[in-house]
Each structure stands twice: as C-alpha cells, then as structure tokens.
Amino acid sequence: MGESQIHNAGRLKALTKMTVAHQVILHPFVSSTLKVWSTTVGRDKTYRTIQYFSRFLAWYCFRMGYTRPTIERFQNLKSALGLSRKLMRIGKPLEHLQSAIKAVDQRDPVLRVTAIGRQLGYAAYLVHDTLAWVHGAKVKVFDKDTISRINRNAARFWFFGLACSLLSGAYKMRDLRVKEIKARKPRPSPEKESERKNELRSIAAQRFAVQYQLVQDSLDILLPSASLNWLVLNDGQLGLAGFVTSIMGLRTQTQKVLGASK
C-alpha cells in the first residue's frame, strides 16, 4: 500500500470517528437531557435518583457481604448528593410561600386548605433542610440534640405537606368520579355528544395525573415516616421507594420542559 493510500485510509478513519462523535453528541436524546438538566428541578431529580439508588446499593452490598470500602463508596455518594441537593434548595421555601398565598384564591374550601397546608409544610421542611445543610457543610455546627431536633422537625413538616397532598388527591379523585358519572349520560344533539366525549377524555387525563401524584406521594411519605420511627423500614426499602419517586418526578419534569419547548 502506497503512502497516499495510507494517508487516505487514516483520513477516512478520522472522519468516521468524528461522524460517530458528532452523531452521539448531537443526538436528540442528549439534547433533550441537557434541556432538562438546565433546570434546577431537573438536576435535583437526577441527583435524587442517584442518591436513593446509592442508598439501596449500600444496603444491598452490606446484606451480600461486600467489602467495607465498597459499601462506604455508595454511602459517601449518597451523603455527598444529599448535601448538594440541600444547597440547591436554599431559597426554595419562598417559592412555596408564594404558592401558599396564591392558593388562598382557590374557590373550593377543601382544595384551598390542603393546598395551603401542603405549601406551608414544604416551606417549613425546606427551612429546616437548609439548617441541616449549614450543619453538614460545617458553616455552623450544632450540638447533637439540636441537629437531631432539626432533622425530626424537617421530617414532621415533610410528612405534613405530603399528607395534605394525599388528602387533596383523594378529594380530586372523588370530584372527578362525580363528573365522570354525569359525563357518561348521552346528549341529545351531535354537538353536545362531541362535547361529552371531549369532556370524558379530559376527565381521564386529569384522573391519570391525580393517580400518578397519589402513587408518588404514597411512596414518598414512607421516608419521613421512617425517619420519625412511625414505620420500621430498612434502607433497602427506603432506597427503592425514593428511587421510584425520583424517576417519577424526573419524568414529570422532562415532560414539562420538553413540552414547553415544542
């Protein structure tokens, strides 16, 4: 083979590598992922997914008798991501306070009370979560009793917010059921019948969204319940529960971001 042929073969190989890299880096999936990660919520949900899966893996490795360095590797990853997420959420209580104020305008009294309770519960939880970050980052180290009280109060407020969300979801499901029963009655004219079918599709979409949130909240509420010793669950069970709800939250955020960009 001559020098020119070797040179051309080398150029062809380099071009092939560049084309492959171009296709990978500019792949629609990579672009979509970067859009989601450009939001604080998208990054938080991604970190949370890894954090809780690491918690499960640490428990699994312990049960299977893996070496201590392997177990500590996952425990350290879980702790580092947990501390990073606390930092990312500093200031977020103000968002929930704004949402609580807006919820005052809600006409339905049950939805109004549960929405305000949920937002205030989350705001108080995140305030205590910030204090936990202050301690974890050693900005201000609290004594053992104080940090224990902060963590327990955080779990209480988180539980309260989730409980309000579950009550709201149950109430919405009841309301949607009543609307569905009414919408199933045939209408006299073709126009009214078309409206009825559209209404049924809308009710089905709303019911799916409410059920999705109910499942997510039902799993999430296990975490503060275990922290408060109201439920006895091991790290494997809690890790899986958190992992599943993180995936669910990441899916919701992905749909929101990519849907808005269309």
Side-chain angles (χ1 to χ4, degrees):
M1 184 182 291
E3 289 185 11
S4 61
Q5 290 179 313
I6 295 174
H7 180 68
N8 289 335
R11 287 185 62 187
L12 180 61
K13 188 175 181 180
L15 285 172
T16 302
K17 289 182 177 179
M18 288 179 63
T19 302
V20 171
H22 184 275
Q23 290 177 344
V24 171
I25 294 173
L26 296 181
H27 192 278
F29 176 78
V30 176
S31 300
S32 299
T33 302
L34 291 175
K35 283 183 182 178
V36 175
W37 284 350
S38 69
T39 65
T40 303
V41 175
R43 291 194 302 274
D44 178 66
K45 296 302 180 184
T46 302
Y47 293 169
R48 190 180 193 268
T49 301
I50 301 171
Q51 175 191 352
Y52 277 99
F53 193 58
S54 297
R55 184 174 184 174
F56 166 76
L57 287 176
W59 170 85
Y60 176 80
C61 290
F62 175 78
R63 288 294 302 269
M64 297 301 292
Y66 281 67
T67 59
R68 185 171 183 82
T70 302
I71 298 170
E72 288 179 345
R73 187 176 298 118
F74 291 118
Q75 289 177 334
N76 292 337
L77 178 59
K78 176 198 72 173
S79 300
L81 287 171
L83 196 61
S84 299
R85 291 182 58 236
K86 293 180 192 300
L87 176 60
M88 289 172 59
R89 295 196 296 265
I90 291 178
K92 195 170 175 59
L94 291 175
E95 293 182 24
H96 290 290
L97 290 176
Q98 286 184 342
S99 297
I101 292 173
K102 292 176 183 177
V104 173
D105 297 330
Q106 174 67 249
R107 290 185 178 182
D108 189 296
V110 175
L111 294 180
R112 180 171 63 249
V113 171
T114 52
I116 293 173
R118 179 174 69 252
Q119 299 301 337
L120 291 179
Y122 289 160
Y125 154 62
L126 290 170
V127 168
H128 286 80
D129 200 53
T130 299
L131 292 175
W133 173 82
V134 169
H135 174 81
K138 295 181 170 46
V139 175
K140 163 69 176 173
V141 179
F142 300 104
D143 60 65
K144 186 176 180 180
D145 291 339
T146 301
I147 192 59
S148 177
R149 185 165 62 250
I150 288 171
N151 287 331
R152 287 186 66 81
N153 284 336
R156 289 190 183 100
F157 284 119
W158 187 14
F159 179 91
F160 177 76
L162 288 169
C164 287
S165 184
L166 285 168
L167 288 173
S168 176
Y171 181 79
K172 287 177 182 177
M173 287 296 294
R174 172 186 168 278
D175 187 52
L176 287 171
R177 179 58 181 164
V178 172
K179 290 180 180 179
E180 184 181 23
I181 292 173
K182 291 181 180 179
R184 287 195 177 280
K185 296 179 181 178
R187 305 289 167 82
S189 65
E191 293 81 4
K192 294 291 184 182
E193 186 66 15
S194 178
E195 290 179 4
R196 182 182 74 86
K197 290 180 180 179
N198 289 334
E199 185 179 355
L200 282 172
R201 282 193 288 269
S202 175
I203 290 171
Q206 292 177 59
R207 182 170 59 239
F208 176 81
V210 174
Q211 288 175 335
Y212 190 90
Q213 190 62 50
L214 280 171
V215 171
Q216 189 172 341
D217 290 338
S218 297
L219 291 173
D220 265 337
I221 206 168
L222 299 176
L223 302 171
S225 299
S227 296
L228 294 167
N229 296 321
W230 295 344
L231 289 176
V232 180
L233 298 171
N234 60 46
D235 267 7
Q237 294 166 326
L238 296 173
L240 283 180
F243 174 73
V244 170
T245 57
S246 298
I247 292 291
M248 294 176 73
L250 184 58
R251 175 181 178 274
T252 301
Q253 180 64 9
T254 299
Q255 290 178 332
K256 185 185 299 183
V257 172
L258 299 184
S261 63
K262 289 181 180 178

